[in-house]
Amino acid sequence: MQTRALDQLLQQARDRFGLVEDYEVHQLSQLAEILQGATRFVDVGANRGIYAYVANALMRNGRIILIEADPRLAEQLGAAVPDWMRETENGNEITVLATAAGDRDCVMPFQVGPEETLGSLTGSDFLTGGTERLGVSVKPLDAILPPGPGTVFKIDVEGFEYRVLDGARQHLAQPDAKLLVELHGWGDSSIGRYPHHVFSLMRQAGYKARTTSGREYIFLFGRSDGWGAWASFLRFAPLAWLKSVARRAGLRPLYHGIRARIGLGYPRDRSGLAP
């Protein structure tokens, strides 16, 4: 897709979902390249569905699966999908699954904050004030859908990343799988797993990581030989470990205070909702 046409598509998508103009612009801009050759796109933590919406416009005769833990958002997605299909007529099969992906089959409390876009199965930094808890079904990705070639995953699960990947070992064994993963610094304290553990898991599975346009928390994982996987692990895991140690030592406010003083600013609310 030409750059201008892609920019128009992304702006149309952000307008449709009520998101700010620069919402995840770098990742969404690279989606066309990431999806080249893909026959299946799996959106884990689909939320409002902007990634799946864009994937539907880019893919032809593929399969798109949206996995969303929040049952209310899943219901909204199910109602919206027929319109997406009529808009493009690209021959894609789109399925919405009202469940969470994890490492085992169970029911867990899902926290919904004041803004539904930041729901979490872990102790998210962005869940402040008036959170509501819902019991949601959790299943391993390996049980939700069978592995297959040509699959691209987008995973944005607010700290639950390790469990999602641990429950997707059969998918990770596919030789051409790609995974766009947002890593959240707070991780999953209930099992003691943080972003550096994700890098370790992916290295063992034979994947290397690269950042998307320099973003320090969003990574594209692709298959690699042993050296490539080790090289990216050594590049990203030590800093992730240091950040994890600093966070657990209560140094996070100091870290962001230093960022503010040198002009990098505080991380903004990542809900992405337009005011």
Side-chain angles (χ1 to χ4, degrees):
M1 178 176 282
Q2 297 295 320
T3 301
R4 183 174 180 180
L6 179 60
D7 289 344
Q8 290 175 343
L9 168 62
L10 298 184
Q11 188 58 59
Q12 173 188 329
R14 286 189 289 266
D15 290 344
R16 182 187 186 99
F17 292 96
L19 299 168
V20 294
E21 186 171 350
D22 64 344
Y23 177 76
E24 304 202 355
V25 61
H26 300 294
Q27 304 87 271
L28 287 166
S29 296
Q30 294 179 48
L31 198 55
E33 177 186 350
I34 294 169
L35 286 171
Q36 285 185 2
T39 59
R40 188 167 63 169
F41 178 69
V42 183
D43 192 346
V44 184
N47 204 270
R48 293 193 169 195
I50 187 171
Y51 276 84
Y53 177 85
V54 172
N56 179 55
L58 295 171
M59 296 175 67
R60 299 291 185 276
N61 302 314
R63 188 177 178 203
I64 299 171
I65 300 101
L66 294 85
I67 298 173
E68 175 51 46
D70 187 329
R72 294 170 293 193
L73 282 174
E75 183 177 1
Q76 293 173 24
L77 288 169
V81 159
D83 289 338
W84 302 0
M85 298 174 73
R86 283 191 292 270
E87 283 179 16
T88 61
E89 296 184 348
N90 283 345
N92 295 313
E93 176 189 343
I94 307 179
T95 305
V96 178
L97 301 176
T99 188
D103 57 343
R104 63 185 185 276
D105 197 331
C106 62
V107 174
M108 292 185 66
F110 182 82
Q111 302 174 75
V112 182
E115 294 178 344
E116 81 240 359
T117 59
L118 297 173
S120 177
L121 286 158
T122 65
S124 166
D125 284 359
F126 301 108
L127 287 173
T128 57
T131 59
E132 178 184 358
R133 288 176 178 262
L134 307 170
V136 301
S137 168
V138 180
K139 298 179 184 297
L141 264 176
D142 287 341
I144 292 174
L145 69 154
T151 304
V152 172
F153 295 87
K154 168 251 162 183
I155 300 173
D156 183 359
V157 288
E158 302 293 321
F160 212 59
E161 300 87 44
Y162 186 90
R163 295 209 206 201
V164 171
L165 294 165
D166 195 27
R169 301 281 184 162
Q170 294 176 30
H171 290 281
L172 294 179
Q174 294 296 303
D176 60 350
K178 298 178 187 177
L179 303 96
L180 185 64
V181 184
E182 182 165 341
L183 294 177
H184 297 82
W186 54 85
D188 189 343
S189 61
S190 65
I191 60 170
R193 290 294 180 267
Y194 303 94
H196 61 282
H197 294 108
V198 171
F199 287 117
S200 179
L201 185 156
M202 296 303 284
R203 177 194 62 76
Q204 293 172 27
Y207 285 78
K208 66 178 180 181
R210 69 172 174 86
T211 56
T212 57
S213 298
R215 296 285 180 167
E216 62 183 16
Y217 54 88
I218 302 174
F219 296 86
L220 178 66
F221 289 91
R223 299 288 290 184
S224 176
D225 58 24
W227 170 242
W230 264 108
S232 73
F233 172 79
L234 293 173
R235 178 184 176 188
F236 297 117
L239 180 58
W241 175 77
L242 284 172
K243 287 182 176 181
S244 175
V245 171
R247 171 183 286 272
R248 283 178 283 163
L251 299 177
R252 183 171 179 267
L254 175 62
Y255 166 69
H256 288 300
I258 293 172
R259 284 177 60 94
R261 290 191 188 95
I262 63 177
L264 295 178
Y266 288 95
R268 78 172 192 193
D269 179 354
R270 293 183 194 161
S271 72
L273 295 176

